[in-house]
Amino acid sequence: MDIINENSIVDLKFHLKWKSREAVHSDCYNGTGMNMWRDWMPEKLRNSLIGRSPGDQINMTFSSGEFLDDFSNKKHFKIKSRQFNQETDNNSIIKPQKGRFYPKGLLQGVTGIFKANKEPFRCVDINNGFIDVDFNKPLAGYNLELKASIGNVKEKISDKGGESIDWVSLLTTGPGMQARWQKSSTDFFSDSPFMRQDETPDNIFYQKPRFVHHLDDKAREMVRNIHALSLKDDMKILDLMSSWVTHLPENIRPKKVSGLGMNEAELKKNPDLDDYIVHDLNLDPVLPYDSESFDAVICTGSIEYLIHPFEVFKEAARVLRPQGRFIVTFSNRWFPPKAVRIWEQLHEFERMGLAAEYFLGIEDFENLHTYSIRGLPRPVSDKYFSQLFYSDPVYGVWAHKKG
């Protein structure tokens, strides 16, 4: 059995858990080939790995400032509104909005900032010709729980230079952006957020069936794993914005699965559906089901197309039984002509924040959770394997109906 030492190369699956005021957050990263001698990681983690073997699991907690730099008031300051360059290289206009993240390269006249800088900063507030900005890392100020599951362990053959990987940066780039700034809701909803490139009726766009998978095999497995946290035997489940595949865990036996989608040929081919209804939520957000008739509602890779999200989430709450769960999952792939404007403007982790605001905005849900998983290898059989090494990232947001 391989034992980790200072010369080991280690595969680790990281699970970072933290809490904001409004939700519990879990962010996972699959780390491959960690060089124990050369790569950067907290000494607390490095020391805990020494002497461990494949299959072992490490659980540790980090107080604010122990895993990454603590929140600093020096990185929270005001700039003049004219220092935010609203015109981008492609001549589009970006207007700063409260709570949102933007690349630092948009700023002018700020010490140490250059145009190509893509690192995000947060626009905290806008008032009287000034913008309140936060340059802290999005996770700064949070207490963190870290679980590390050990995979393959091998001895490195040699070390003849090469780059050092910062595993803390990989793990924490993105997480934190899905949370609100303190108690303030994020302004995702100014400046016509639900406009689309293609405003022709959706029934025309979706009239031709598409019997293709929009996520790779590994990503679809991750979606099923998220559903497995909530879906149980004998449940009545609604697959909202359904298609020819419903991402159900293989080991559950629902009492009934209903599908609501846009294309009858796709719904008819779905083997998991007991019944289906063709219905355009953008034309009529009212769900054609009785109140409290489902134990769970799932929506996979589709909320980016909703132009009436609050109405749809309100309806999802109505058709759920008390304590039923509404589970939303998505990735970074979509049909650009029909995705709403705000979706395309956001960082991937901010999109979880947008989905969270849909839940928080109607006040019918509680126990909000967000979840992300990145860094998994793309299956060799996938058609994009030669172009993309990593599997599609998967993001989830879910909550219980109150009651």
Side-chain angles (χ1 to χ4, degrees):
M1 180 179 292
D2 295 316
I3 305 298
I4 298 176
N5 59 51
E6 293 180 352
N7 294 310
S8 295
I9 303 295
V10 184
D11 292 344
L12 285 175
K13 291 184 178 180
F14 295 103
H15 180 172
L16 193 65
K17 185 176 180 180
W18 53 285
K19 296 180 180 179
S20 63
R21 286 179 171 85
E22 64 275 2
V24 175
H25 309 275
S26 295
D27 295 302
C28 304
Y29 190 89
N30 186 70
T32 303
M34 175 186 285
N35 188 319
M36 291 292 293
W37 177 76
R38 188 172 62 197
D39 290 348
W40 195 91
M41 69 192 83
E43 283 302 310
K44 183 176 177 179
L45 174 59
R46 188 189 305 274
N47 294 336
S48 296
L49 289 170
I50 297 296
R52 301 282 187 153
S53 305
D56 287 351
Q57 182 174 288
I58 295 171
N59 296 281
M60 56 185 60
T61 58
F62 293 88
S63 59
S64 175
E66 190 178 6
F67 191 71
L68 69 169
D69 290 343
D70 202 359
F71 184 91
S72 170
N73 286 324
K74 293 181 179 180
K75 296 180 180 180
H76 179 198
F77 55 93
K78 292 183 183 297
I79 63 172
K80 295 178 180 178
S81 294
R82 64 173 179 268
Q83 291 179 265
F84 187 103
N85 182 19
Q86 296 189 14
E87 186 172 344
T88 63
D89 290 337
N90 61 3
N91 295 321
S92 62
I93 302 298
I94 299 177
K95 297 179 180 179
Q97 295 175 8
K98 183 177 178 180
R100 293 272 304 280
F101 286 89
Y102 303 93
K104 290 180 178 177
L106 291 178
L107 301 180
Q108 299 174 331
V110 178
T111 303
I113 299 302
F114 50 94
K115 188 174 182 180
N117 193 329
K118 302 296 183 183
E119 185 179 5
F121 75 94
R122 192 163 210 162
C123 172
V124 175
D125 201 3
I126 306 165
N127 194 24
N128 294 327
F130 289 89
I131 301 176
D132 190 2
V133 301
D134 178 18
F135 273 24
N136 286 284
K137 296 288 186 181
L139 276 177
Y142 289 104
N143 297 322
L144 307 173
E145 298 177 23
L146 179 66
K147 180 191 299 181
S149 300
I150 300 172
N152 294 327
V153 177
K154 60 184 180 181
E155 289 287 314
K156 68 173 182 284
I157 298 175
S158 64
D159 254 324
K160 297 181 180 179
E163 66 176 342
S164 175
I165 297 175
D166 182 348
W167 290 97
V168 171
S169 179
L170 284 176
L171 182 58
T172 60
T173 297
M177 297 176 75
Q178 66 267 52
R180 287 175 168 179
W181 167 262
Q182 298 184 1
K183 296 181 180 180
S184 300
S185 59
T186 303
D187 182 9
F188 293 115
F189 309 115
S190 297
D191 199 23
S192 304
F194 301 120
M195 291 178 60
R196 300 172 294 173
Q197 294 179 29
D198 182 356
E199 294 288 6
T200 59
D202 288 352
N203 62 349
I204 296 175
F205 184 84
Y206 293 104
Q207 65 183 351
K208 182 180 179 180
R210 295 176 173 88
F211 296 113
V212 295
H213 290 296
H214 302 298
L215 299 176
D216 65 72
D217 290 347
K218 178 57 69 172
R220 296 199 302 276
E221 178 187 344
M222 293 303 102
V223 171
R224 291 193 295 270
N225 288 347
I226 291 174
H227 288 162
L229 299 173
S230 302
L231 304 184
K232 309 297 180 185
D233 291 344
D234 298 321
M235 279 187 168
K236 289 186 177 181
I237 300 169
L238 172 61
D239 185 5
L240 196 63
M241 305 178 78
S242 183
S243 179
W244 67 291
V245 176
T246 295
H247 301 81
L248 295 179
E250 295 179 358
N251 61 344
I252 72 159
R253 298 293 179 267
K255 186 173 184 179
K256 184 179 180 181
V257 181
S258 299
L260 183 146
M262 287 293 295
N263 186 277
E264 184 167 15
E266 293 179 8
L267 295 168
K268 190 174 183 178
K269 191 174 181 179
N270 189 328
D272 292 316
L273 298 182
D274 296 296
D275 59 60
Y276 64 82
I277 295 176
V278 177
H279 185 87
D280 185 350
L281 290 172
N282 285 340
L283 191 62
D284 179 9
V286 177
L287 298 180
Y289 301 102
D290 293 337
S291 298
E292 299 187 3
S293 53
F294 293 100
D295 300 294
V297 177
I298 61 176
C299 182
T300 305
S302 296
I303 67 159
E304 58 265 38
Y305 308 116
L306 289 175
I307 64 174
H308 306 295
F310 291 104
E311 292 86 343
V312 172
F313 274 56
K314 190 75 174 179
E315 279 293 290
R318 180 184 64 79
V319 303
L320 276 171
R321 298 189 175 106
Q323 288 302 301
R325 289 192 185 185
F326 184 15
I327 309 160
V328 173
T329 52
F330 51 88
S331 185
N332 58 359
R333 297 169 63 181
W334 62 84
F335 297 125
K338 285 297 183 180
V340 295
R341 179 182 180 183
I342 184 63
W343 193 263
E344 298 189 276
Q345 294 176 348
L346 298 177
H347 186 282
E348 291 182 18
F349 275 79
E350 276 189 289
R351 292 176 188 139
M352 285 191 286
L354 175 64
E357 290 296 338
Y358 293 162
F359 279 105
L360 295 166
I362 64 170
E363 300 182 346
D364 290 322
F365 290 96
E366 61 187 4
N367 298 328
L368 183 65
H369 287 71
T370 76
Y371 177 91
S372 69
I373 183 163
R374 300 168 293 149
L376 293 168
R378 183 171 290 271
V380 177
S381 59
D382 187 80
K383 65 180 180 179
Y384 297 114
F385 176 76
S386 62
Q387 305 170 45
L388 301 170
F389 179 76
Y390 294 112
S391 171
D392 300 321
V394 172
Y395 305 97
V397 185
W398 63 87
H400 294 82
K401 179 182 177 178
K402 291 180 180 179

